[in-house]
Amino acid sequence: MATGARVVLLGPPGAGKGTQAKLLQEKFAACQISTGDILRKAVAEQTPLGKEAAQYIDRGALVPDDVIVELVAGRLKDKDCAPGFILDGFPRTIPQAESLDRILQRMTLSLNRVLSMQVPRSVIIERLSGRRSCKNCGGLFHVIFSPPAKEGVCDRCGGELYQRQDDEEDTVANRLDVYEKQTAPLANYYRERNLLREIDGVGTVDEIRARVIEALGDLVA
Ligand code: AP5
């Protein structure tokens, strides 16, 4: 069996998956695969994928499984994913999880951990309403919890910060409902396979990072 981190981050919108995935990517020299980031880039570039995905993202619904699975299968073959990968926002339905198992089997790989980040709704709303993302590098900020040094400008690359359209109140409510119905059942799927670890997602970014690292402590970079 290959070494390296092959990890899924599971959790509701705003749980901090993207924030922790970026930190883990560095620690484990793994690639971060954020299906949300890939789709938003496609939307911004107005590719055929982006045009299709926008119809779903704008109302907080899930993009069809076959579209997402194909996208992830291709990305997993990239060279930077060979040492390991952090999946952020995928899988999100049971059929996506089953497809991922098949894809990894074909690559003679398997997941070695699934972290489920638990965050109450009130904290989610607080985080999403203040989130700012970099248009250029995808860097994540929060107007109160992790503000950029200069308002509206990314600390890492100087890119422009923007507020995601799907972070508007009505869309967030829909995303949370979709999560409960379609994604939350994945916790059991992975618990039955003895892959699931639950992480308390409330606290500072550093506190949560320490919990995540502890839960992955035995994995070798
Ligand atoms: P996606 O981009 O995956 O969104 P999401 O899962 O809803 O998650 P978010 O990105 O909103 O939150 P996060 O958990 O990453 O939190 P973050 O670290 O940013 O998906 C968007 C859309 O794309 C979906 O609705 C769907 O349409 C489509 N899609 C994507 N994947 C799909 C799939 N597999 N299948 C079908 N459709 C798919 O943190 C949030 C904020 O909080 C930030 O401002 C951050 O700075 C701050 N923060 C983080 N941690 C802390 C902390 N500990 N304390 C204080 N602030 C914190």
Side-chain angles (χ1 to χ4, degrees), residues 47-174:
T47 64
L49 166 68
K51 284 181 189 159
E52 185 186 354
Q55 306 166 38
Y56 299 95
I57 296 175
D58 289 351
R59 55 190 166 93
L62 295 183
V63 172
D65 289 337
D66 53 342
V67 175
I68 295 288
V69 166
E70 193 186 326
L71 193 151
V72 173
R75 180 71 181 95
L76 278 168
K77 289 183 193 139
D78 289 342
K79 216 172 158 187
D80 63 323
C81 295
F85 52 82
I86 313 295
L87 287 166
D88 153 21
F90 176 91
R92 246 173 156 102
T93 62
I94 299 281
Q96 288 184 16
E98 291 169 344
S99 297
L100 176 63
D101 288 345
R102 287 192 291 272
I103 293 165
L104 293 178
Q105 210 171 15
R106 283 199 294 273
M107 298 171 79
T108 60
L109 292 173
S110 59
L111 291 174
N112 43 29
R113 202 77 24 106
V114 176
L115 304 185
S116 170
M117 302 175 67
Q118 322 270 323
V119 182
R121 204 172 174 115
S122 57
V123 175
I124 289 171
I125 305 284
E126 211 178 9
R127 287 187 185 170
L128 292 183
S129 60
R131 171 165 54 192
R132 298 292 181 273
S133 313
C134 176
K135 273 189 179 168
N136 183 44
C137 73
L140 288 170
F141 298 86
H142 190 281
V143 291
I144 296 166
F145 305 128
S146 48
K150 188 174 173 209
E151 198 185 325
V153 180
C154 177
D155 289 352
R156 279 165 40 185
C157 74
E160 184 191 340
L161 301 184
Y162 78 108
Q163 187 165 19
R164 272 170 50 177
Q165 204 183 331
D166 63 346
D167 281 348
E168 280 171 18
E169 210 178 317
D170 286 354
T171 316
V172 166
N174 196 32

